[in-house]
Amino acid sequence: MRVTFCCTDTKAQPWLEGLRAALPGASVDLWSAGAAPADYAVVWVPPQQFFDEQAGLKAVFNIGAGVDALMKLRLPAGVPVVRLDDAGMSAQMAEYVCHAVIRHFREFDAYEAEVAEGKWSYRKPHLREDFPVGVMGLGVLGERVSRALAQFDFPVMGWSRSAKTVTGVKCFSGDAGLHDFLAATRILVCLLPLTPDTENILRRETLQRLLPGAYLINVARGGHLVDDDLIALIDCGHMAGATLDVFRTEPLPAAHPFWRHPKITITPHTSARTLREESIAQIAGKIRALDRGASIASLAGVVDSKKGY
């Protein structure tokens, strides 16, 4: 069995060592142009040349949950793509989103600013029922985030393209359910996959449907958000602010207005980082299963190329 590793901006050696330890007897090598054909590939934002040369792959494993970069490439016909379905990311994402929601709800950002100025003051507590949280995207990460938020007694709603059921969460689906979902949401969390259908979904038309004083948390992809529309809606008072972890260009350019906007909190795409050991264990387990004759359909995280996730 031959496994090739092609991951942009990733330290290859720890991954190679981990995969070799998890797949004893397999040949695991770093890809370079002209390399011998492999059976399986472990990738992150590979160049088109990689797939042009590796046309005989049995499966491609992406070391992340988002596959939008892969979907832009010409992939070999019939080769399945498998994304990480958790690998420790859902707990991180739940931590990040709950922190952002609670920080806004409890006005800890305002307290921080006042303390920095030497002010000692109190603010009237808000009611949770006045801060319904809507989660866009109810995949593995979205479901975990929704259930975590419900533990803090916030009213939690979820929206997805197809109908889903999550205990303790009021679920909406499809275009028909999007309007009602947005109209009932005050804190909006985006965890959607980035596809042609969801690109620019966080624009003036949708964001202005949110309850007055709305707050946005985007931990999905920068391509979901129309930056200027968000700034305009904050500046006119319809939205209270935003916490953003993902951007159209990363690192975020120094001249971008998000850096300086007083009501926007930014973090450097760190809401849920790939955990190497957990990811290697998951990928190696799936490769072993396929090598024993298991079907692709039996694996978790197989990407539907038509949907793009």
Side-chain angles (χ1 to χ4, degrees), residues 256-274:
H256 199 288
F258 283 167
W259 283 107
R260 296 171 299 281
H261 200 289
K263 295 184 178 180
I264 295 177
T265 298
I266 64 173
T267 52
H269 203 147
T270 192
S271 55
R273 303 293 297 273
T274 298

Side-chain angles (χ1 to χ4, degrees), residues 88-90 92-93 96 141 245 269-274:
M89 288 188 289
S90 66
Q92 295 180 73
M93 190 64 79
Y96 183 100
L141 300 182
D245 186 55
H269 203 147
T270 192
S271 55
R273 303 293 297 273
T274 298

Side-chain angles (χ1 to χ4, degrees), residues 28-308:
V28 181
D29 298 296
L30 180 65
W31 177 79
S32 60
D39 300 301
Y40 302 101
V42 179
V43 305
W44 180 252
V45 196
Q48 180 61 53
Q49 182 182 1
F50 173 81
F51 287 113
D52 292 343
E53 294 185 0
Q54 295 286 326
L57 294 168
K58 297 177 182 178
V60 175
F61 294 87
N62 191 57
I63 63 167
V67 294
D68 43 290
L70 279 182
M71 296 296 100
K72 295 176 183 177
L73 302 178
R74 298 186 307 276
L75 304 181
V79 176
V81 173
V82 185
R83 56 172 172 76
L84 293 179
D85 48 292
D86 190 333
M89 288 188 289
S90 66
Q92 295 180 73
M93 190 64 79
E95 291 169 346
Y96 183 100
V97 172
C98 287
H99 174 271
V101 169
I102 293 168
R103 182 173 183 265
H104 174 62
F105 171 69
R106 294 287 301 274
E107 297 187 90
F108 288 145
D109 51 347
Y111 280 120
E112 289 168 6
E114 290 173 354
V115 167
E117 297 176 359
K119 296 179 180 179
W120 183 278
S121 60
Y122 295 101
R123 291 170 176 268
K124 182 180 179 180
H126 296 303
L127 300 176
R128 282 174 175 78
E129 53 262 37
D130 293 335
F131 283 76
V133 183
V135 178
M136 301 183 83
L138 291 175
V140 172
L141 300 182
E143 181 175 342
R144 178 65 178 272
V145 166
S146 299
R147 288 191 283 108
L149 288 166
Q151 292 297 309
F152 289 98
D153 294 334
F154 288 102
V156 181
M157 298 165 295
W159 179 82
S160 54
R161 283 292 179 187
S162 55
K164 299 283 183 70
T165 300
V166 180
T167 302
V169 177
K170 184 177 181 180
C171 296
F172 300 79
S173 63
D175 292 338
L178 183 58
H179 177 87
D180 289 342
F181 166 80
L182 293 170
T185 294
R186 185 164 180 181
I187 301 178
L188 180 65
V189 180
C190 182
L191 272 162
L192 292 168
L194 183 61
T195 70
D197 288 336
T198 65
E199 187 171 8
N200 299 325
I201 194 169
L202 302 175
R203 58 186 183 274
R204 181 184 294 271
E205 178 187 353
T206 51
L207 294 176
Q208 66 185 5
R209 294 182 185 275
L210 298 168
L211 290 169
Y215 193 85
L216 172 67
I217 300 169
N218 188 16
V219 285
R221 286 290 186 268
H224 289 119
L225 175 63
V226 178
D227 298 357
D228 290 343
D229 286 359
L230 172 64
I231 291 173
L233 288 170
I234 293 174
D235 289 348
C236 78
H238 177 69
M239 297 188 65
T243 293
L244 308 175
D245 186 55
V246 290
F247 309 92
R248 289 180 179 270
T249 301
E250 296 181 359
L252 186 64
H256 199 288
F258 283 167
W259 283 107
R260 296 171 299 281
H261 200 289
K263 295 184 178 180
I264 295 177
T265 298
I266 64 173
T267 52
H269 203 147
T270 192
S271 55
R273 303 293 297 273
T274 298
L275 301 180
R276 187 171 59 244
E277 289 77 11
E278 286 86 343
S279 300
I280 288 172
Q282 185 181 126
I283 291 168
K286 292 177 180 179
I287 289 176
R288 288 194 298 269
L290 291 176
D291 209 48
R292 292 194 301 265
S295 67
I296 278 289
S298 67
L299 302 185
V302 178
V303 173
D304 184 329
S305 59
K306 294 181 180 178
K307 294 180 178 178

